[in-house]
Structure formats: structure tokens, C-alpha cells
Amino acid sequence: MTAALRMPGLLCAATLLVAASLAGCSSDGGDDGDKGTGKSASAEKADDFDCLTAEEAKASSITFTLEDGSETGAYAPRGGAGAGIVLAHQADGTVCQWKDKADELSKAGYRVLAVNSNGQEVAEVVAAAGYLREKGAGKLLLMGASKGGTAVLTAAPRLTPQPDAVVALSAPAQYRNMNAVQAVPRLTSPVLYMAGELDGDFAADAVEMNKKSVKSAEHKAIQVRDASAHGVALLDDDARWTTVRDFLVKYGS
């Protein structure tokens, strides 16, 4: 009789334990599922860099991987199928500094990758160049403004093969751990330096680096007279932008 009374109790307890276990599994699974979905949604959300429309971000905001495994964001407008061009921005800005020119170059047929730097400038340029080449770019161009100019000058000799041309706008000879003035003697790529005559020491740096670019197939420094415009702002002038565009076409076609 005692045994008969205990059996239902044991069965009930076992049932409750199983139910609790199942409920617990269901709860954990649901939480993980929600977290997983949230993480996935976050990972898939395109970065607008505070200057792209939702449509532009969805279509053209990408990330690419550096040699150390970290990732960097970039704006890669769709449409271009010709030479690849890496755009590196200034210290006081983001990829948005290059947005208008990136769109224009893309419409002209270039495969554009405007890098949103996370502070690993040279590694980013090297990885961006590799990304464009992997995507089928037969020719490669690098263009940077201010610290971005220092970055492309420092990175170019490290690439194999070296880029087809390099443009440096208001590039300091040295910036943090980047030393362009030491790198350019190894540069074989054609290079165009441009800086405003009234823009601090940047014009003098352009002249100095140009003199050291002795291995470059073509090298020239343009000191823009009576100009204090810096970096990307130099290209607000149509004549200067035409000069740069002609240089890109010469070596990117």
C-alpha cells in the first residue's frame, strides 16, 4: 500500500522534472535564437558612414579584411569595371570626404574602393589593393589626401606588383609611424604630388619627395600658387581635378 502511494508521487516528480527541463531548454533556445537573430541583423546592417543613403549603403558599403584579420569599412560604388582605384582620406575626415569623387570615378568606369580608415592606414591600403585585384582589376591606382597621401606613398612600394600610378594630395613626408620620404626612393610607379603653395609645409614636402622619387617612371610635383586648400579640397577647382583625372587616365586606361 505504501509502495502504491509512492509510485504516483515518483512519476509525478519525474514528470515535473522533465517538464521543467524541457521548459528550460525551450527558454534557452528562444533566448539564443533571439540573440542570434539580433547579431545577424546587426552584422548585416550596412554602414552608411553618415553620408550614404540607405540604398547606397545597402548596395555599396562593404568590409574587407586586413592581414592581421581585422576588418575595415569602405565605400565601393557599383558600376565600374576598369582600373581599380583606392582612395584614402584625411585625418580630419572619413570616407565621406571622397564620396562625390568616388561616385564620379565610378561613373567614369573605375572600380573604386574608398577606405574608411580605422587607424591602420598602410595596412588598409595594402589590403584594399589586394581586394581590388582579387575582384578583377587589371590596373591599380592609389590616391590619398593628407595622411591618406602619406599612406598610399608608403604602401605603394610594398605592393607586388607596384601600382600603375599614385596621386598624393597635400601629403606630409611623415605622419605618425608612416614615413613616405623614406618609402618613395623605392617607388617605381608614376607619381603625382600636389599641394597648395600657402598650405604650411605640405608644398615643400611634395617637392622633397618628388626629388627622391628617382625610380618612378614619371614623377612631378605641382605647387598650386596662392592656394591654401588642403587635400581633397584641392580638387574643388576644376582645372586641378582635370589634371589629376588626366594623370589617372594616362596610367589607368
Side-chain angles (χ1 to χ4, degrees):
M1 189 68 177
T2 302
L5 288 172
R6 285 179 178 173
M7 286 300 292
L10 289 171
L11 289 171
C12 182
T15 302
L16 288 172
L17 285 171
V18 172
S21 176
L22 290 173
C25 290
S26 176
S27 176
D28 290 344
D31 289 346
D32 288 346
D34 291 343
K35 289 176 183 177
T37 302
K39 183 177 181 180
S40 176
S42 175
E44 292 176 359
K45 184 179 179 182
D47 194 339
D48 63 10
F49 306 115
D50 294 328
C51 63
L52 306 182
T53 65
E55 291 75 15
E56 288 172 331
K58 183 177 180 180
S60 304
S61 176
I62 68 163
T63 59
F64 62 96
T65 305
L66 277 58
E67 187 177 16
D68 66 1
S70 62
E71 291 188 336
T72 297
Y75 176 54
R78 300 295 187 260
I85 180 165
V86 177
L87 302 177
H89 65 73
Q90 300 169 201
D92 61 349
T94 66
V95 67
C96 297
Q97 285 182 323
W98 279 116
K99 170 69 168 56
D100 292 343
K101 297 305 183 189
D103 288 341
E104 187 175 338
L105 290 167
S106 178
K107 290 176 182 176
Y110 294 93
R111 300 172 188 261
V112 181
L113 190 65
V115 179
N116 198 61
S117 178
N118 64 14
Q120 302 182 74
E121 292 86 359
V122 175
E124 290 163 351
V125 172
V126 170
Y131 177 92
L132 286 172
R133 281 172 167 164
E134 287 175 4
K135 293 297 182 182
K139 291 193 173 184
L140 177 70
L141 309 167
L142 307 180
M143 181 157 61
S146 196
K147 76 154 183 174
T150 310
V152 298
L153 292 169
T154 306
R158 303 185 185 189
L159 296 174
T160 304
Q162 289 195 23
D164 293 277
V166 180
V167 177
L169 307 171
S170 309
Q174 297 181 56
Y175 185 89
R176 293 180 182 169
N177 63 338
M178 298 184 289
N179 195 322
V181 75
Q182 287 187 356
V184 294
R186 303 191 306 276
L187 183 65
T188 58
S189 309
V191 56
L192 171 64
Y193 301 95
M194 183 181 288
E197 187 180 46
L198 305 179
D199 185 22
D201 295 328
F202 296 102
D205 282 358
V207 171
E208 180 185 6
M209 289 189 288
N210 184 56
K211 288 180 179 178
K212 291 181 179 294
S213 302
V214 293
K215 292 184 179 180
S216 294
E218 177 186 359
H219 58 94
K220 57 183 175 181
I222 298 176
Q223 290 181 298
V224 183
R225 293 187 61 185
D226 300 324
S228 59
H230 184 73
V232 178
L234 284 167
L235 305 182
D236 291 342
D237 178 87
D238 289 341
R240 297 172 205 157
W241 179 222
T242 297
T243 297
V244 170
R245 284 284 300 271
D246 288 347
F247 187 79
L248 296 175
V249 169
K250 181 178 180 179
Y251 293 104
S253 299

